[in-house]
């Protein structure tokens, strides 16, 4: 009897010690949402860039330049003597206004007042942050930003809505080099 009890215990012990099985997910996600989102964003960018290109083609009065980061601009007032542009950490003061591609004013220069900004160390929308780095003191530049270079999907939680391409006219007043502000 004891032998049978030991054998049963041994069989029970060996059968209960199996390796754990991996749990399978209930729902299997395929990543199609991300693929669809990428497709929608590419289509939106293409439409916005086509609208901007149409504005550029219809404006023979200005010589538009394309930036390396995906926006277009022209100089209203250009400094051909100085070679100094703001770099990381420099402090700039500037004024600007914001309109949509149809020319409707969103923010005036008076509403926005003079902005003091430390290059790449403070918050500013991507296109304007990159555009300021192209400017020299005293220059006036008009930028055309697709929405992904402006406020994108979120807008500014005030007057600029979702996926709105923008035109900004910017005047760079001063550039103060970082090295002179730290001494």
């Amino acid at each position: 009897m004891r032998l049978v009890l030991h054998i049963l215990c041994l069989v029970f012990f060996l059968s209960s010690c199996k390796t754990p099985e991996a749990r399978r997910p209930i729902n299997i996600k395929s990543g199609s949402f991300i693929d669809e989102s990428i497709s929608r964003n590419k289509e939106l960018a293409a439409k916005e860039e086509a609208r901007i290109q149409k504005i550029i083609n219809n404006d023979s009065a200005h010589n538009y330049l394309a930036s390396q980061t995906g926006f277009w601009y022209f100089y209203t007032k250009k400094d051909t003597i100085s070679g100094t542009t703001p770099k990381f950490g420099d402090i700039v003061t500037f004024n600007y206004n914001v309109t949509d591609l149809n020319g409707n004013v969103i923010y005036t220069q008076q509403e926005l007042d003079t902005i003091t900004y430390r290059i790449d160390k403070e918050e500013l929308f991507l296109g304007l942050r990159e555009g300021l780095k192209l400017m020299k003191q005293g220059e006036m530049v008009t930028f055309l930003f697709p929405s992904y270079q402006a406020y994108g999907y979120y807008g500014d939680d005030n007057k600029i809505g979702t996926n709105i391409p923008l035109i900004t006219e910017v005047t760079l007043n001063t550039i103060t080099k970082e090295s002179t502000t730290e001494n």
Side-chain angles (χ1 to χ4, degrees):
M1 175 83 166
R2 220 173 195 202
L3 182 61
V4 174
L5 187 58
H6 283 347
I7 293 174
L8 284 174
C9 286
L10 183 62
V11 170
F12 179 72
F13 178 73
L14 291 175
S15 66
S16 66
C17 296
K18 68 178 194 175
T19 58
E21 291 183 27
R23 296 185 315 188
R24 302 283 178 232
I26 295 171
N27 294 331
I28 298 173
K29 302 283 182 183
S30 65
S32 63
F33 174 77
I34 293 173
D35 294 338
E36 290 171 12
S37 179
I38 290 169
S39 176
R40 278 191 310 269
N41 288 337
K42 284 182 177 180
E43 185 178 314
L44 176 66
K47 285 180 182 177
E48 290 177 1
E49 289 171 7
R51 282 184 66 200
I52 290 171
Q53 203 59 49
K54 185 175 179 182
I55 291 169
I56 292 170
N57 292 341
N58 291 336
D59 184 4
S60 60
H62 298 104
N63 181 26
Y64 286 85
L65 303 167
S67 76
Q68 293 179 344
T69 56
F71 59 85
W72 294 262
Y73 62 101
F74 67 85
Y75 289 90
T76 305
K77 180 179 175 189
K78 184 172 176 130
D79 180 354
T80 56
I81 299 170
S82 174
T84 305
T85 57
K87 305 287 184 242
F88 179 84
D90 292 347
I91 298 172
V92 297
T93 60
F94 64 97
N95 296 88
Y96 74 112
N97 65 14
V98 180
T99 62
D100 63 18
L101 293 185
N102 296 323
N104 301 315
V105 176
I106 299 172
Y107 292 110
T108 65
Q109 269 190 349
Q110 292 74 25
E111 283 179 276
L112 298 172
D113 204 13
T114 299
I115 307 291
T116 300
Y117 170 70
R118 187 178 292 266
I119 299 291
D120 289 336
K121 290 190 173 184
E122 296 175 8
E123 289 295 318
L124 195 62
F125 72 86
L126 177 64
L128 187 54
R129 189 170 59 227
E130 294 302 316
L132 286 168
K133 294 179 200 175
L134 300 172
M135 297 178 70
K136 300 172 190 164
Q137 186 168 311
E139 288 186 331
M140 294 171 63
V141 177
T142 300
F143 295 99
L144 286 77
F145 299 116
S147 65
Y148 63 86
Q149 286 284 320
Y151 288 93
Y153 178 75
Y154 296 104
D156 74 342
D157 294 329
N158 195 7
K159 293 183 177 183
I160 300 172
T162 299
N163 296 325
I164 303 294
L166 301 174
I167 299 174
T168 63
E169 295 171 336
V170 181
T171 302
L172 183 59
N173 302 319
T174 62
I175 301 172
T176 306
K177 291 296 181 185
E178 182 179 39
S179 59
T180 60
T181 59
E182 294 178 352
N183 292 335

